[in-house]
Amino acid sequence: MPELPEVETMCRGIRPIIGRKVQSVRVPKCVCRPIVMRPKIVTIRRRLVGQTIQDVTRLGKRVLIHTADLALVLQPRMTGLVSLGQTPGPDHVRLQIHFAGSPQTQLLFWDRRGLGVVELMRRDEIQTRIVAGRLGPDALDITLEDFSDRLSKTNRPIKVALLDQKLLAGVGNLYASEMLHVSRIHPAKPCSKVSAKKKRHLFEAMQEILLTAIEYEGSTLSDGTYRNALNDPGSYQNQHLVYDRAGLACPSCSSGRIARIVQAQRSTFFCPKCQRT
DNA sequence: CATATGTCCTGAGAGC
DNA sequence: TGCTCTCAGGACATAT
């Protein structure tokens, strides 16, 4: 479930590869089923070997590794992560990149469930192949005005709309529940009926929660899947107010109990008492 | 066009 | 103890 804070943490963690020259690109043999790669691995290898890493950036929930002309785009989706060596388990390393010279450094793309995607493209293709038609403004870059306008244009439940990457890039299931709780908005409220004042509260809660979660290096849930680039867990899970806390007392009003509902086949957690509207 | 549903995947945990 | 079943959800394809 890497969302914006986890992906941002991954990007920061692998920045030591900047300036390094790609020596080899491999798919370890023990992997049960190869993940989706575009183009196929032999082509990725041919184009990438010998290139020097210029930058590492985040685009929504994707990690972009740039050379002078190319971008290696890593999509962790559910259980993927990037690492400088250590991974949560020995299996499921989907891509392994070694760099020339010293220190001995490798970049790994690890993904237990294998829903992740690896793509290599020219840097000038990023806009047309990834952003256009798929990604809205980043949750940490968008203005309050744009955020409010975009929400106003849909009638979907606000929790469902927040997960739409075309509307807003970076927010996922976990942080959507958290930000709606802090701004005291019912997750089923149709977007178009959310007041301007509530939208401002939501916008402020979003900035606050995402920035704080980055400081805590993201959330590592009970399955222990997500780790930073050095294989250490994040700690924002200890700050969760509602996510995965169904049945527990609401930490905000202490009289309500956290409820779990399903919206668009995803769990939503909220307090029915302090998120009434 | 807007919105809803189905699909991929593996391992943890529940239940018998 | 050991088996089977369900569930977790990001992004995209397909359906309504």
Side-chain angles (χ1 to χ4, degrees):
Chain A
M1 48 115 277
E3 305 180 26
L4 186 154
E6 289 77 22
V7 178
E8 179 64 29
T9 303
M10 292 178 199
C11 288
R12 294 182 183 188
I14 65 168
R15 293 242 157 91
I17 69 171
I18 293 173
R20 304 294 300 272
K21 187 166 136 186
V22 175
Q23 185 171 58
S24 67
V25 178
R26 295 199 186 94
V27 174
K29 265 185 185 159
C30 54
V31 169
C32 26
R33 220 175 286 267
I35 61 168
V36 172
M37 291 201 191
R38 306 185 191 101
K40 54 189 175 183
I41 182 64
V42 290
T43 308
I44 292 178
R45 176 183 298 124
R46 177 167 49 76
R47 295 174 68 186
L48 209 51
V49 168
Q51 301 299 310
T52 298
I53 307 301
Q54 304 276 347
D55 202 1
V56 177
T57 61
R58 179 181 60 77
L59 185 56
K61 300 177 193 171
R62 290 162 167 89
V63 175
L64 272 56
I65 298 170
H66 306 267
T67 68
D69 303 310
L70 300 172
L72 182 67
V73 180
L74 305 174
Q75 252 185 290
R77 295 213 184 172
M78 286 301 298
T79 53
L81 56 81
V82 292
S83 156
L84 290 180
Q86 296 291 104
T87 56
D91 299 328
H92 310 305
V93 174
R94 310 292 181 157
L95 190 70
Q96 180 179 38
I97 297 177
H98 276 100
F99 298 95
S102 60
Q104 291 293 311
T105 302
Q106 60 174 336
L107 179 76
L108 304 177
F109 183 65
W110 181 92
D111 184 359
R112 182 200 287 149
R113 279 157 69 179
L115 299 178
V117 175
V118 171
E119 293 173 287
L120 184 69
M121 61 193 72
R122 295 196 314 270
R123 290 175 71 160
D124 62 18
E125 292 178 299
I126 292 170
Q127 183 63 31
T128 52
R129 287 186 54 178
I130 301 180
V131 179
R134 285 192 181 81
L135 293 182
D138 191 84
L140 286 180
D141 289 336
I142 195 170
T143 62
L144 170 60
E145 292 69 29
D146 196 10
F147 179 73
S148 300
D149 287 350
R150 285 168 169 270
L151 286 178
S152 302
K153 287 177 182 154
T154 176
N155 284 312
R156 285 175 294 174
I158 189 154
K159 159 65 164 35
V160 176
L162 286 171
L163 301 184
D164 182 351
Q165 302 299 296
K166 287 194 287 293
L167 195 151
L168 177 76
V171 174
N173 201 50
L174 190 161
Y175 294 100
S177 280
E178 293 294 317
M179 65 183 68
L180 286 168
H181 176 74
V182 169
S183 51
R184 300 192 165 210
I185 300 171
H186 194 292
K189 180 95 170 172
C191 283
S192 54
K193 292 184 180 171
V194 178
S195 70
K197 186 177 172 183
K198 281 291 191 188
K199 279 185 279 198
R200 180 169 56 80
H201 287 161
L202 179 60
F203 176 82
E204 288 166 357
M206 175 169 78
Q207 311 294 317
E208 164 70 22
I209 288 171
L210 294 177
L211 289 172
T212 305
I214 291 170
E215 285 178 30
Y216 282 77
E217 300 197 274
S219 301
T220 298
L221 304 181
S222 52
D223 68 0
T225 292
Y226 165 73
R227 295 283 204 278
N228 71 12
L230 300 177
N231 205 38
D232 299 317
S235 53
Y236 194 73
Q237 65 278 5
N238 301 316
Q239 309 300 316
H240 292 175
L241 298 175
V242 292
Y243 185 80
D244 206 17
R245 298 177 61 82
L248 299 176
C250 172
S252 305
C253 69
S254 69
S255 57
R257 274 191 189 287
I258 307 301
R260 173 186 179 271
I261 58 173
V262 174
Q263 298 179 282
Q265 281 111 269
R266 277 142 184 85
S267 298
T268 299
F269 299 89
F270 73 110
C271 172
K273 197 141 183 176
C274 57
Q275 293 173 255
R276 277 196 257 235
T277 59

mmCIF file of all heavy atoms in Angstrom, chain A residues 16-41:
data_model
loop_
_atom_site.group_PDB
_atom_site.id
_atom_site.type_symbol
_atom_site.label_atom_id
_atom_site.label_comp_id
_atom_site.label_asym_id
_atom_site.label_seq_id
_atom_site.Cartn_x
_atom_site.Cartn_y
_atom_site.Cartn_z
ATOM 1 N N PRO A 16 21.349 8.018 -2.817
ATOM 2 C CA PRO A 16 22.788 7.730 -2.972
ATOM 3 C C PRO A 16 23.169 7.146 -4.339
ATOM 4 O O PRO A 16 24.345 7.150 -4.687
ATOM 5 C CB PRO A 16 23.056 6.714 -1.845
ATOM 6 C CG PRO A 16 22.073 7.069 -0.784
ATOM 7 C CD PRO A 16 20.842 7.501 -1.535
ATOM 8 N N ILE A 17 22.197 6.684 -5.108
ATOM 9 C CA ILE A 17 22.564 6.154 -6.441
ATOM 10 C C ILE A 17 22.787 7.277 -7.447
ATOM 11 O O ILE A 17 23.286 7.030 -8.551
ATOM 12 C CB ILE A 17 21.495 5.179 -6.996
ATOM 13 C CG1 ILE A 17 20.203 5.922 -7.354
ATOM 14 C CG2 ILE A 17 21.263 4.030 -6.015
ATOM 15 C CD1 ILE A 17 19.191 5.055 -8.115
ATOM 16 N N ILE A 18 22.450 8.506 -7.078
ATOM 17 C CA ILE A 18 22.660 9.620 -8.006
ATOM 18 C C ILE A 18 24.160 9.788 -8.262
ATOM 19 O O ILE A 18 24.959 9.812 -7.321
ATOM 20 C CB ILE A 18 22.040 10.928 -7.464
ATOM 21 C CG1 ILE A 18 20.524 10.798 -7.435
ATOM 22 C CG2 ILE A 18 22.458 12.131 -8.307
ATOM 23 C CD1 ILE A 18 19.802 11.967 -6.766
ATOM 24 N N GLY A 19 24.513 9.889 -9.532
ATOM 25 C CA GLY A 19 25.915 10.011 -9.910
ATOM 26 C C GLY A 19 26.574 8.680 -10.222
ATOM 27 O O GLY A 19 27.691 8.652 -10.740
ATOM 28 N N ARG A 20 25.886 7.583 -9.921
ATOM 29 C CA ARG A 20 26.467 6.262 -10.167
ATOM 30 C C ARG A 20 26.117 5.774 -11.570
ATOM 31 O O ARG A 20 25.072 6.111 -12.121
ATOM 32 C CB ARG A 20 25.960 5.254 -9.122
ATOM 33 C CG ARG A 20 26.205 5.653 -7.675
ATOM 34 C CD ARG A 20 27.685 5.701 -7.324
ATOM 35 N NE ARG A 20 28.354 4.434 -7.509
ATOM 36 C CZ ARG A 20 28.439 3.472 -6.585
ATOM 37 N NH1 ARG A 20 27.901 3.662 -5.391
ATOM 38 N NH2 ARG A 20 29.074 2.345 -6.836
ATOM 39 N N LYS A 21 27.019 4.948 -12.113
ATOM 40 C CA LYS A 21 26.851 4.424 -13.474
ATOM 41 C C LYS A 21 26.329 2.992 -13.434
ATOM 42 O O LYS A 21 26.869 2.148 -12.704
ATOM 43 C CB LYS A 21 28.201 4.473 -14.189
ATOM 44 C CG LYS A 21 28.141 4.111 -15.661
ATOM 45 C CD LYS A 21 29.444 4.527 -16.327
ATOM 46 C CE LYS A 21 29.950 3.437 -17.250
ATOM 47 N NZ LYS A 21 31.286 3.765 -17.784
ATOM 48 N N VAL A 22 25.312 2.722 -14.192
ATOM 49 C CA VAL A 22 24.688 1.392 -14.195
ATOM 50 C C VAL A 22 25.630 0.369 -14.824
ATOM 51 O O VAL A 22 26.100 0.547 -15.953
ATOM 52 C CB VAL A 22 23.354 1.408 -14.972
ATOM 53 C CG1 VAL A 22 22.778 -0.005 -15.072
ATOM 54 C CG2 VAL A 22 22.362 2.354 -14.312
ATOM 55 N N GLN A 23 25.921 -0.682 -14.049
ATOM 56 C CA GLN A 23 26.818 -1.731 -14.536
ATOM 57 C C GLN A 23 26.045 -2.942 -15.048
ATOM 58 O O GLN A 23 26.410 -3.554 -16.035
ATOM 59 C CB GLN A 23 27.742 -2.159 -13.404
ATOM 60 C CG GLN A 23 28.791 -3.164 -13.818
ATOM 61 C CD GLN A 23 29.806 -3.366 -12.705
ATOM 62 O OE1 GLN A 23 29.450 -3.737 -11.589
ATOM 63 N NE2 GLN A 23 31.060 -3.090 -12.988
ATOM 64 N N SER A 24 24.969 -3.306 -14.327
ATOM 65 C CA SER A 24 24.187 -4.469 -14.764
ATOM 66 C C SER A 24 22.736 -4.316 -14.346
ATOM 67 O O SER A 24 22.426 -3.637 -13.370
ATOM 68 C CB SER A 24 24.762 -5.761 -14.167
ATOM 69 O OG SER A 24 24.590 -5.773 -12.762
ATOM 70 N N VAL A 25 21.870 -4.945 -15.114
ATOM 71 C CA VAL A 25 20.435 -4.955 -14.823
ATOM 72 C C VAL A 25 19.974 -6.397 -14.923
ATOM 73 O O VAL A 25 20.094 -7.013 -15.981
ATOM 74 C CB VAL A 25 19.654 -4.084 -15.833
ATOM 75 C CG1 VAL A 25 18.162 -4.144 -15.547
ATOM 76 C CG2 VAL A 25 20.140 -2.643 -15.814
ATOM 77 N N ARG A 26 19.475 -6.944 -13.818
ATOM 78 C CA ARG A 26 19.115 -8.360 -13.802
ATOM 79 C C ARG A 26 17.728 -8.596 -13.217
ATOM 80 O O ARG A 26 17.244 -7.828 -12.393
ATOM 81 C CB ARG A 26 20.089 -9.162 -12.923
ATOM 82 C CG ARG A 26 21.508 -9.199 -13.419
ATOM 83 C CD ARG A 26 22.261 -10.359 -12.761
ATOM 84 N NE ARG A 26 23.671 -10.309 -13.130
ATOM 85 C CZ ARG A 26 24.615 -9.711 -12.399
ATOM 86 N NH1 ARG A 26 24.289 -9.167 -11.245
ATOM 87 N NH2 ARG A 26 25.866 -9.684 -12.811
ATOM 88 N N VAL A 27 17.141 -9.719 -13.627
ATOM 89 C CA VAL A 27 15.947 -10.247 -12.961
ATOM 90 C C VAL A 27 16.382 -11.543 -12.300
ATOM 91 O O VAL A 27 16.706 -12.508 -12.991
ATOM 92 C CB VAL A 27 14.806 -10.526 -13.969
ATOM 93 C CG1 VAL A 27 13.635 -11.216 -13.260
ATOM 94 C CG2 VAL A 27 14.341 -9.231 -14.608
ATOM 95 N N PRO A 28 16.445 -11.568 -10.952
ATOM 96 C CA PRO A 28 16.909 -12.788 -10.271
ATOM 97 C C PRO A 28 16.064 -14.000 -10.667
ATOM 98 O O PRO A 28 14.856 -13.896 -10.864
ATOM 99 C CB PRO A 28 16.725 -12.444 -8.787
ATOM 100 C CG PRO A 28 16.802 -10.963 -8.737
ATOM 101 C CD PRO A 28 16.163 -10.491 -10.006
ATOM 102 N N LYS A 29 16.737 -15.153 -10.747
ATOM 103 C CA LYS A 29 16.098 -16.350 -11.291
ATOM 104 C C LYS A 29 14.964 -16.909 -10.442
ATOM 105 O O LYS A 29 13.989 -17.414 -10.972
ATOM 106 C CB LYS A 29 17.148 -17.459 -11.468
ATOM 107 C CG LYS A 29 17.714 -17.497 -12.880
ATOM 108 C CD LYS A 29 18.659 -18.673 -13.052
ATOM 109 C CE LYS A 29 19.294 -18.599 -14.436
ATOM 110 N NZ LYS A 29 20.541 -19.361 -14.510
ATOM 111 N N CYS A 30 15.113 -16.827 -9.123
ATOM 112 C CA CYS A 30 14.173 -17.515 -8.247
ATOM 113 C C CYS A 30 12.757 -16.945 -8.273
ATOM 114 O O CYS A 30 11.838 -17.507 -7.704
ATOM 115 C CB CYS A 30 14.689 -17.475 -6.805
ATOM 116 S SG CYS A 30 15.043 -15.807 -6.248
ATOM 117 N N VAL A 31 12.563 -15.841 -8.946
ATOM 118 C CA VAL A 31 11.234 -15.236 -8.975
ATOM 119 C C VAL A 31 10.242 -16.161 -9.678
ATOM 120 O O VAL A 31 10.495 -16.651 -10.770
ATOM 121 C CB VAL A 31 11.282 -13.868 -9.692
ATOM 122 C CG1 VAL A 31 9.878 -13.369 -9.974
ATOM 123 C CG2 VAL A 31 12.045 -12.882 -8.856
ATOM 124 N N CYS A 32 9.124 -16.400 -9.020
ATOM 125 C CA CYS A 32 8.136 -17.340 -9.554
ATOM 126 C C CYS A 32 7.554 -16.878 -10.880
ATOM 127 O O CYS A 32 7.523 -17.594 -11.855
ATOM 128 C CB CYS A 32 7.029 -17.555 -8.537
ATOM 129 S SG CYS A 32 6.789 -16.177 -7.402
ATOM 130 N N ARG A 33 7.086 -15.674 -10.919
ATOM 131 C CA ARG A 33 6.430 -15.163 -12.114
ATOM 132 C C ARG A 33 6.959 -13.761 -12.360
ATOM 133 O O ARG A 33 6.987 -12.946 -11.436
ATOM 134 C CB ARG A 33 4.924 -15.088 -11.849
ATOM 135 C CG ARG A 33 4.042 -15.491 -12.977
ATOM 136 C CD ARG A 33 2.613 -15.470 -12.485
ATOM 137 N NE ARG A 33 2.299 -16.594 -11.615
ATOM 138 C CZ ARG A 33 1.777 -17.731 -12.062
ATOM 139 N NH1 ARG A 33 1.495 -17.873 -13.332
ATOM 140 N NH2 ARG A 33 1.518 -18.704 -11.229
ATOM 141 N N PRO A 34 7.378 -13.449 -13.567
ATOM 142 C CA PRO A 34 7.917 -12.102 -13.797
ATOM 143 C C PRO A 34 6.828 -11.042 -13.713
ATOM 144 O O PRO A 34 5.680 -11.295 -14.063
ATOM 145 C CB PRO A 34 8.492 -12.186 -15.211
ATOM 146 C CG PRO A 34 7.768 -13.308 -15.864
ATOM 147 C CD PRO A 34 7.397 -14.271 -14.787
ATOM 148 N N ILE A 35 7.185 -9.869 -13.208
ATOM 149 C CA ILE A 35 6.212 -8.776 -13.175
ATOM 150 C C ILE A 35 6.174 -8.104 -14.547
ATOM 151 O O ILE A 35 6.998 -8.385 -15.413
ATOM 152 C CB ILE A 35 6.564 -7.735 -12.096
ATOM 153 C CG1 ILE A 35 7.929 -7.106 -12.366
ATOM 154 C CG2 ILE A 35 6.507 -8.349 -10.721
ATOM 155 C CD1 ILE A 35 8.207 -5.893 -11.521
ATOM 156 N N VAL A 36 5.224 -7.227 -14.712
ATOM 157 C CA VAL A 36 5.078 -6.517 -15.982
ATOM 158 C C VAL A 36 6.254 -5.563 -16.170
ATOM 159 O O VAL A 36 6.559 -4.758 -15.297
ATOM 160 C CB VAL A 36 3.752 -5.732 -16.020
ATOM 161 C CG1 VAL A 36 3.692 -4.841 -17.254
ATOM 162 C CG2 VAL A 36 2.569 -6.690 -15.982
ATOM 163 N N MET A 37 6.921 -5.692 -17.321
ATOM 164 C CA MET A 37 7.993 -4.757 -17.667
ATOM 165 C C MET A 37 7.778 -4.267 -19.090
ATOM 166 O O MET A 37 7.477 -5.051 -19.982
ATOM 167 C CB MET A 37 9.352 -5.453 -17.581
ATOM 168 C CG MET A 37 9.757 -5.795 -16.172
ATOM 169 S SD MET A 37 11.519 -6.031 -16.012
ATOM 170 C CE MET A 37 11.575 -6.738 -14.358
ATOM 171 N N ARG A 38 7.941 -2.962 -19.249
ATOM 172 C CA ARG A 38 7.813 -2.398 -20.588
ATOM 173 C C ARG A 38 9.016 -1.511 -20.846
ATOM 174 O O ARG A 38 9.209 -0.558 -20.072
ATOM 175 C CB ARG A 38 6.534 -1.541 -20.705
ATOM 176 C CG ARG A 38 5.280 -2.265 -20.312
ATOM 177 C CD ARG A 38 4.077 -1.383 -20.587
ATOM 178 N NE ARG A 38 2.876 -1.938 -20.001
ATOM 179 C CZ ARG A 38 2.330 -1.526 -18.851
ATOM 180 N NH1 ARG A 38 2.866 -0.524 -18.182
ATOM 181 N NH2 ARG A 38 1.249 -2.081 -18.382
ATOM 182 N N PRO A 39 9.807 -1.715 -21.876
ATOM 183 C CA PRO A 39 9.735 -2.896 -22.752
ATOM 184 C C PRO A 39 10.294 -4.109 -22.025
ATOM 185 O O PRO A 39 10.507 -4.048 -20.827
ATOM 186 C CB PRO A 39 10.627 -2.474 -23.933
ATOM 187 C CG PRO A 39 11.618 -1.540 -23.314
ATOM 188 C CD PRO A 39 10.886 -0.806 -22.227
ATOM 189 N N LYS A 40 10.546 -5.198 -22.737
ATOM 190 C CA LYS A 40 11.019 -6.394 -22.046
ATOM 191 C C LYS A 40 12.423 -6.184 -21.487
ATOM 192 O O LYS A 40 13.171 -5.308 -21.942
ATOM 193 C CB LYS A 40 10.959 -7.613 -22.962
ATOM 194 C CG LYS A 40 11.673 -7.456 -24.273
ATOM 195 C CD LYS A 40 11.352 -8.648 -25.183
ATOM 196 C CE LYS A 40 11.985 -8.437 -26.561
ATOM 197 N NZ LYS A 40 11.639 -9.520 -27.498
ATOM 198 N N ILE A 41 12.773 -7.018 -20.515
ATOM 199 C CA ILE A 41 13.989 -6.820 -19.733
ATOM 200 C C ILE A 41 15.248 -6.696 -20.587
ATOM 201 O O ILE A 41 16.130 -5.882 -20.280
ATOM 202 C CB ILE A 41 14.138 -7.942 -18.667
ATOM 203 C CG1 ILE A 41 15.379 -7.738 -17.803
ATOM 204 C CG2 ILE A 41 14.152 -9.311 -19.303
ATOM 205 C CD1 ILE A 41 15.365 -6.490 -16.956
#
